Amino acid sequence: GRWSSPAMDVAHGQVIFAGGDAWLYGFTIDGREGGGAADRAAERAASTPKFAWKFDANRKAALWQDRGQGDRTSIIATPVVAKDHLFIATGQITEHANTQAALLCLDLAKARLMAGDDVSDEIVFNPKVDEGRVPLAPKRILAADASAGDVTEKNPHSALAWRYVGTDLNGNGKLDFAEIFHRSISTVAVKDDLVFAVDFVGVVHCVDAKTGKAHWTHDMESGSWSSPLIVNDRVLIGNDSGMLLTFALSREKKILAENDMGETLYSTPIVADGVMYVATKSRLFAITQK
């Protein structure tokens, strides 16, 4: 199955799907709808999406286990395209165990250069299969089975810019709870080379879009189904406790407001025409300046 919605790289005519198998798939639309008396059937044929590239969001040694007990993840969130890069958080459905996952950044320019290719960061071979000359096909449970003789190699065609799993911000030599990127169902928000992501346990991460290193994190001490929303110089995130937090769009952590909406916030706030709409479990609020 799959949960993610597709994203469009408008500048280059590519549509990107995140599959339930945790692979990202890029398709190119070569043609464009034109005017005049051109043959509409030919135009439709020209605009049929064509496979461009694919990327495995999991490490090849990651194992799928029942109810999410393994370290192999799915993709629930929607990809985000910004400045020729793609950002996506991995995770599983909310009923499954919530362990460490990853926030990924792909270089779409490199992905496009490798048209028709696998641009994952690793590829799998087995010396017993075609003398190890042909990469193995994807496998659902375990992509690289060491017990069967599978081996992994770095993919020279990889489009991975960085993989964020956490940052040791306090310098104690380990990743504490609030420094780990856990499984997420939320879509990230990107602006001014900052990526804002929230994981399912409610840790907010502000990550450098160029380096993949965290500037700061914040534990909301409540899970989150909501996605971040950037409005001008502010970042809004809701959580299961009904709190709507407002952060400054900054490399330093600044909490500007914490508003109690009275009940669980599952959805993402929306701003339109100067009004912010916030849906809680049973109410819809419209908030504006007096």
Side-chain angles (χ1 to χ4, degrees), residues 56-119:
D56 188 357
N58 279 297
R59 299 268 190 197
K60 297 302 185 181
L63 175 66
W64 179 271
Q65 288 181 306
D66 188 44
R67 299 200 62 80
Q69 297 300 317
D71 55 354
R72 187 173 179 83
T73 64
S74 305
I75 298 178
I76 311 295
T78 297
V80 171
V81 176
K83 292 187 176 180
D84 219 11
H85 286 76
L86 180 148
F87 302 91
I88 187 73
T90 65
Q92 287 196 20
I93 60 175
T94 56
E95 290 84 359
H96 287 185
N98 204 328
T99 59
Q100 190 175 50
L103 177 64
L104 305 174
C105 174
L106 272 62
D107 184 338
L108 290 180
K110 187 166 186 180
R112 289 193 299 271
L113 284 175
M114 301 294 110
D117 209 347
D118 181 347
V119 297

Side-chain angles (χ1 to χ4, degrees), residues 197-211:
V198 59
D199 56 35
F200 187 62
V201 298
V203 178
V204 181
H205 302 257
C206 174
V207 179
D208 192 287
K210 294 181 178 179
T211 66

Side-chain angles (χ1 to χ4, degrees), residues 176-196:
D176 296 331
F177 179 84
E179 296 172 335
I180 296 172
F181 190 79
H182 305 84
R183 290 173 176 171
S184 176
I185 65 173
S186 303
T187 299
V188 305
V190 185
K191 186 178 180 181
D192 295 346
D193 291 328
L194 297 177
V195 183
F196 293 90

Side-chain angles (χ1 to χ4, degrees), residues 130-201:
D130 294 322
E131 299 180 348
R133 293 175 297 184
V134 179
L136 298 183
K139 291 179 280 189
R140 289 180 178 270
I141 306 300
L142 178 62
D145 186 354
S147 66
D150 295 350
V151 294
T152 60
E153 294 182 7
K154 188 70 178 176
N155 184 1
H157 299 158
S158 174
L160 181 68
W162 48 257
R163 178 191 301 268
Y164 169 77
V165 297
T167 300
D168 181 15
L169 293 169
N170 59 16
N172 66 354
K174 62 179 182 179
L175 292 180
D176 296 331
F177 179 84
E179 296 172 335
I180 296 172
F181 190 79
H182 305 84
R183 290 173 176 171
S184 176
I185 65 173
S186 303
T187 299
V188 305
V190 185
K191 186 178 180 181
D192 295 346
D193 291 328
L194 297 177
V195 183
F196 293 90
V198 59
D199 56 35
F200 187 62
V201 298

